[in-house]
Amino acid sequence: MNSEIRPMLLMLVSTFSLSVTGLLAKWLTHSFDPAWLCFFRLLFPAILAFWLMMITQWSQPNKQAWSGLLVRGFCITACQLCFLASIKHLSLVEAVVLFGTSPLFVPILERIFFKTPIKRLIIINLGITFTGLLFIAGNLEQMKFGGSLLLGLAGGIFNAGSQVAMYRSSKSNLTPLGVSAWSFIIASLFLVPLLMFLPITTAVEWHTLTGWQHPLLLLLLFMAVCTVNTQVFRAKAYQLAESGSQLAPIIFTNLIFSAIWQFMFFNHPMPWNKMVGIGLIILATILNTFVPIWLRKKRALSNNN
């Protein structure tokens, strides 16, 4: 297979798995409390990742890796809780778009924790994003703290924190699979104190899930497989790619897949203001991804000349 096409196909499989995970999460929020669903969403992939490490290459964190893993575990827990709480009330596309704003907030967090400068483009893109939020909300009165929109946006912010912490973890002694396995198990443990005070499901009883052939349990297991697929195929794609810009366009196919799932399985009305708002947020994310690539190429050409 062509060396240029292979990483793009691997990234396409990764985004497809990610979109299926969102679809399954949308379905399962009607049967589980968001906290319990988040716990299963993290625990099952962790078990699968540990099993894969046992049969391939075991990876255990050293003392320096634990701080990054703890921070990433907390951020994963928070972002998944926000995402699952918001997707229960938002459309699938709305939730996915808000969660996908995380690249916009990575420079903000790097500025807070590492004192790196913030480029003017980030400020512009954040302005476009919040304008899109206003369009989706319809009016300012609906933009209440704790609302579904703000929870979805908070998921993107905490996901950005997870990415910043993942960069630190990637510099440790852990393999990519090891980083995912230890991060997921730590994230699931953060939820244990909260779960002690919550019922396990909202629509089914716990004893009905003990059978291996119960549909909900099969969906949870399938979501775990999709989660690990997303991580493994993405890591392999970046490993084979010549540069991150080669894969940047493929990342946005997650939105296309999610729109297809929404059209096929859900009857969510999309009035003009929501479509405009979603379009503005997607525009901000695209500008954040491609403008720096274009500027680097422009500088390279000018230097060569």
Side-chain angles (χ1 to χ4, degrees):
M1 184 181 296
N2 190 304
S3 59
E4 294 185 1
I5 296 178
R6 189 180 179 191
M8 298 175 69
L9 290 178
L10 289 171
M11 179 59 77
L12 192 64
V13 174
S14 174
T15 57
F16 180 80
S17 296
L18 181 61
S19 70
V20 173
T21 302
L23 172 65
L24 295 173
K26 178 69 175 175
W27 278 336
L28 290 168
T29 52
H30 298 292
S31 299
F32 291 93
D33 179 272
W36 275 104
L37 180 56
C38 184
F39 179 71
F40 294 134
R41 164 86 172 81
L42 298 169
L43 180 63
F44 286 9
I47 294 173
L48 179 58
F50 274 114
W51 176 74
L52 289 174
M53 280 202 301
M54 290 178 64
I55 63 176
T56 55
Q57 178 184 356
W58 182 257
S59 181
Q60 186 169 339
N62 56 23
K63 186 179 295 186
Q64 290 74 25
W66 278 109
S67 58
L69 288 173
L70 289 172
V71 173
R72 186 174 187 236
F74 173 80
C75 290
I76 289 175
T77 302
C79 77
Q80 290 300 321
L81 271 177
C82 292
F83 175 72
L84 294 173
S86 66
I87 201 175
K88 187 173 184 177
H89 303 286
L90 298 175
S91 69
L92 178 61
V93 172
E94 286 175 309
V96 169
V97 167
L98 290 174
F99 193 77
T101 58
S102 58
L104 298 175
F105 296 103
V106 168
I108 305 296
L109 296 179
E110 289 179 340
R111 170 64 179 175
I112 294 173
F113 294 106
F114 306 117
K115 307 301 181 183
T116 56
I118 299 178
K119 298 181 179 179
R120 185 181 304 173
L121 177 64
I122 297 297
I123 305 300
I124 296 173
N125 289 335
L126 286 175
I128 297 174
T129 297
F130 282 103
T131 303
L133 283 175
L134 293 176
F135 271 99
I136 294 175
N139 58 65
L140 288 173
E141 294 180 357
Q142 296 181 23
M143 294 290 289
K144 298 177 181 178
F145 178 78
S148 299
L149 284 176
L150 293 184
L151 279 175
L153 189 64
I157 296 173
F158 281 114
N159 189 35
S162 171
Q163 293 179 42
V164 173
M166 183 174 65
Y167 176 78
R168 184 173 180 179
S169 299
S170 66
K171 302 302 180 182
S172 66
N173 65 313
L174 293 172
T175 63
L177 185 60
V179 171
S180 297
W182 288 101
S183 298
F184 283 151
I185 196 66
I186 291 171
S188 63
L189 291 176
F190 274 120
L191 283 166
V192 171
L194 177 62
L195 299 179
M196 296 173 63
F197 302 98
L198 293 174
I200 190 167
T201 63
T202 57
V204 295
E205 297 295 332
W206 165 242
H207 65 82
T208 63
L209 296 176
T210 55
W212 281 99
Q213 296 182 347
H214 193 280
L216 289 179
L217 182 59
L218 294 178
L219 287 177
L220 288 170
L221 294 174
F222 185 43
M223 185 164 63
V225 172
C226 289
T227 300
V228 175
N229 274 350
T230 300
Q231 300 293 324
V232 171
F233 281 106
R234 179 164 299 194
K236 189 64 176 177
Y238 278 118
Q239 184 180 18
L240 295 176
E242 296 179 359
S243 65
S245 60
Q246 180 185 358
L247 301 176
I250 309 297
I251 296 175
F252 293 98
T253 57
N254 177 38
L255 298 175
I256 299 175
F257 291 133
S258 298
I260 293 172
W261 303 144
Q262 179 165 314
F263 176 77
M264 291 176 60
F265 298 107
F266 303 105
N267 184 26
H268 283 286
M270 291 289 285
W272 70 269
N273 62 296
K274 289 183 179 290
M275 294 183 66
V276 171
I278 290 172
L280 286 172
I281 296 174
I282 293 174
L283 173 63
T285 309
I286 290 175
L287 290 176
N288 187 70
T289 302
F290 291 105
V291 170
I293 296 173
W294 176 75
L295 290 175
R296 284 196 298 269
K297 289 183 177 180
K298 186 178 179 180
R299 283 195 295 266
L301 288 174
S302 62
N303 291 335
N304 291 333
N305 294 332

